Amino acid sequence: MPTVDDILEHIGEFNLFQKQTFFILSLLSVTFTSIYVGIVFLGFTPDHRCLNPGVSELSKRCGWSLEEELNYTVPGLGITGDTFISQCRRFDVDWNQTALSCTDPLANFTSNKSHIPLTTCQYGWVYDTPGSSIVTEFNLVCADAWKLDLFQSIVNVGFFIGSMGIGYIADRFGRKLCLLITIFITAVSGVLMALSPSYTWMLIFRFIQGLVSKSGWLIAYILITEFVGLKYRRTVGICFQMTFTIGLLILAGVAYALPFWRWLQLTVSLPYFCFLLYYWCLPESPRWLISQNKNAKAMKIIKHIARKNQKSLPTSLQSLKPDEEASEKMNPSFLDLVRTPQIRKHTLILMYNWFTSSVLYQGLIMHMGLAGGNIYLDFFYSALVEFPAAFIIIFTIDRIGRRYPWAASNMVAGAACLISAFLPNDLMWLKVTVACLGRMGITMAYEMVCLVNAELYPTFIRNLGVMVCSSMCDIGGIVTPFLVYRLTDIWHELPLVVFAVIGLIAGVLVVMLPETKGMALPETIEEVENMQRQRKSKEKIIYLQVQKPEVTHN
């Protein structure tokens, strides 16, 4: 009996139906960007200083400019490399005294300005921004700055927990139902987050978003790859990830037009309600239906695909059997991922590379938001370099292979981070260029690990291997905000140095993996254990065949 792949060869592997399905599912990928990296705009931290009661009235009475007001009333201005005092401390004086001088108001308290005691910003802060962010509304600065780190970490905790359960839920209840549930919860929690009355409630809804949003993206990815034929599956997977990049470009424009975080959050959440129309636009995956012995429903959907693609379905193909992977009955175990030497090596290296890709990708975006330039243009330009990264992958993986482009992309990202850390701000054009090169490198590495992960495990533990290894991506997302925001307090470029070390190590480790170009997916543990040995022996056999005529001639 034929499999779904056999049937798709006759009714269209990537025709009108698949193209329409790809387009509508890509819209979900576009909107997911606001959840994954939206902290750059939602959590933007502008220049700030302590609010001093009485300073505003004194400034008006004396006719000070803003610069004069800051020089007279804010401590620590002009101290290179130390903004903590100017942003988190204020002079412990009463600015409401009527006898204060307009030329040197602090002289009324002491002759030496450095002897005036400092205190905390107990009355709040003044932020130099025309808009708002969660930082300005909930005062996530100074002693509470860690709460911004937690805001991004909590969504990654949700990613981690949600992704661990997505395989079971989608396999048990179906792709379509699971997708619609995640879309609805993402939409509702996103709107409630925009209406949150306090930081705590915002954190709760952010966590709920994390639980379901990445899972929804993964289901959409699974659906589109299950609808297309084998020949197009890898390219469609890469293009689906490219739509995430399109979302980055759109997010930059929307954030520029809506500098108020609540309106921005509401705007990026409302489209999810439109995605509930998928109930009428998307059929269930026929592959899943076959795995559940619902062959009649699967055939009905296959006939619908054939009509949509204007193809006829031969009578000989109207009986179905499960795909080989779906019919596998072996029970996978977590121990299988570390039991044998080669698979253990693959697992450890892949886990580290998933972690590295997440830390560098999210970290570079967050660090860019702290650079002090035009955050909207910087975000837009850095997103553009992700397109060449995808095209390079498409044109190299089947020509050069996976291993060397993957290793090179990690090393380029690490080297770019290291160089950028020590470039002076006077050479900003060069600094931006190097940073974009690093962004392109880590984007390539991220997409490569998604592709190669499945190729290094045998069939019966392939899904488990991908799930466990990719979970390190979410662990990386949990620690990245603390790495970026806390290390910049020590030295602004210190996160880049850390990223460089992590990226260079990842590049070296990738070289230790076997090349999978031109190799069939391994079916057994023995095939995985012999992957490198088989390739070496294959090369040796080709060499002997070339040399044999010369030996005979002599």
Side-chain angles (χ1 to χ4, degrees), residues 197-413:
S198 66
Y199 172 81
T200 302
W201 279 109
M202 181 184 66
L203 209 61
I204 292 171
F205 295 130
R206 177 74 165 168
F207 173 69
I208 295 173
Q209 259 198 333
L211 279 176
V212 294
S213 58
K214 186 179 179 182
S215 299
W217 186 90
L218 287 171
I219 297 170
Y221 182 89
I222 292 168
L223 260 179
I224 188 58
T225 54
E226 289 186 340
F227 277 128
V228 302
L230 185 62
K231 187 166 59 175
Y232 293 90
R233 199 167 296 159
R234 183 180 293 119
T235 302
V236 166
I238 295 173
C239 291
F240 186 76
Q241 294 180 62
M242 286 176 63
T243 60
F244 180 89
T245 303
I246 296 173
L248 294 175
L249 302 178
I250 295 173
L251 178 61
V254 174
Y256 178 78
L258 297 171
F260 299 92
W261 81 269
R262 289 187 184 272
W263 285 110
L264 175 61
Q265 175 62 29
L266 188 63
T267 302
V268 299
S269 298
L270 289 177
Y272 276 92
F273 287 103
C274 299
F275 298 151
L276 293 174
L277 295 173
Y278 286 174
Y279 179 82
W280 293 276
C281 302
L282 284 177
E284 181 56 87
S285 166
R287 297 178 194 269
W288 178 80
L289 289 170
I290 293 170
S291 72
Q292 302 297 306
N293 295 319
K294 299 178 180 179
N295 289 8
K297 290 184 178 179
M299 182 52 63
K300 183 178 179 181
I301 292 171
I302 288 172
K303 289 179 179 178
H304 167 73
I305 295 173
R307 287 194 302 271
K308 198 79 172 178
N309 290 341
Q310 297 182 345
K311 302 280 186 178
S312 59
L313 181 64
T315 307
S316 60
L317 297 178
Q318 294 190 17
S319 58
L320 297 166
K321 73 172 182 178
D323 293 340
E324 290 182 10
E325 291 190 24
S327 61
E328 182 64 66
K329 296 301 182 183
M330 294 180 68
N331 294 318
S333 165
F334 285 98
L335 288 177
D336 291 323
L337 300 178
V338 293
R339 182 173 284 126
T340 56
Q342 290 301 317
I343 292 182
R344 179 165 58 246
K345 183 178 74 173
H346 296 176
T347 299
L348 295 176
I349 293 176
L350 286 168
M351 289 176 73
Y352 181 81
N353 269 270
W354 274 104
F355 177 83
T356 298
S357 297
S358 176
V359 169
L360 266 68
Y361 185 83
Q362 293 191 53
L364 287 175
I365 292 177
M366 292 179 196
H367 190 265
M368 175 189 60
L370 302 174
N374 187 320
I375 186 175
Y376 305 103
L377 284 178
D378 291 347
F379 191 91
F380 184 86
Y381 291 145
S382 65
L384 284 176
V385 302
E386 294 193 10
F387 288 108
F391 290 127
I392 290 172
I393 291 175
I394 292 174
F395 288 111
T396 58
I397 57 174
D398 289 327
R399 293 172 174 83
I400 301 174
R402 280 85 156 135
R403 183 171 53 167
Y404 291 121
W406 184 12
S409 63
N410 272 312
M411 291 181 177
V412 166

Side-chain angles (χ1 to χ4, degrees), residues 118-163:
L118 302 178
T119 188
T120 58
C121 303
Q122 62 192 78
Y123 299 107
W125 286 263
V126 176
Y127 297 95
D128 296 332
T129 177
S132 69
S133 69
I134 62 172
V135 172
T136 62
E137 181 162 336
F138 299 112
N139 290 326
L140 308 184
V141 292
C142 300
D144 286 337
W146 63 272
K147 292 183 178 180
L148 178 61
D149 310 1
L150 182 60
F151 173 78
Q152 182 64 10
S153 292
I154 200 69
V155 75
N156 281 278
V157 172
F159 290 163
F160 177 75
I161 297 173
S163 296

